[in-house]
Amino acid sequence: MKNLLKAIACAVVISTCYNCSVESAAESMQEDSIVSQEEIIDFEMLEELCSNQDPQAVLTNNSLLSVDFEVFDQFGLLMTHAYGVPAGGVSPTLTFPDGVTTFIVSTSASEKEVKIDMDNCMIYDVVINENNNLNTDVPTQL
């Protein structure tokens, strides 16, 4: 009877060891390292996308009229512009320093002024529709 109990106990221990898999410490560390490297790469990619870039603005003209696009600083000084953006055309991307910025979009039929506090890594994407109306006065993050 004593030997039978010892044999059963031994069989139970051996079967539990046989069913368990042992993950090596090296494999575990390697997986942790891969995850850490992926997180670092993702963070670096975010920094590459925008790292204190000056604000930007671009105008898409879907109207039937030519459009002038001007960018002024908080003191009313013209910083950059795109004159004569043709119907169906897109202005070049305009860059300027951050701060309170006034955008003036004008056609032969109308003029619109929009003031926005622009920070680094922001873009104001202006779209003029076929009725000479602006689509938005809200900038987005780059």
Side-chain angles (χ1 to χ4, degrees), residues 76-122:
L77 299 173
L78 180 65
M79 294 188 288
T80 187
H81 60 81
Y83 292 130
V85 178
V90 177
S91 75
T93 300
L94 307 175
T95 58
F96 45 91
D98 62 335
V100 176
T101 306
T102 302
F103 301 94
I104 297 181
V105 178
S106 56
T107 67
S108 58
S110 65
E111 181 174 294
K112 174 77 174 180
E113 181 178 309
V114 177
K115 285 190 180 185
I116 301 174
D117 189 1
M118 297 290 290
D119 288 327
N120 288 338
C121 298
M122 292 178 83

Side-chain angles (χ1 to χ4, degrees), residues 49-68:
L49 290 175
C50 186
S51 178
N52 291 326
Q53 291 178 4
D54 283 338
Q56 300 175 1
V58 65
L59 178 130
T60 303
N61 183 7
N62 293 326
S63 74
L64 300 175
L65 302 171
S66 176
V67 176
D68 291 335

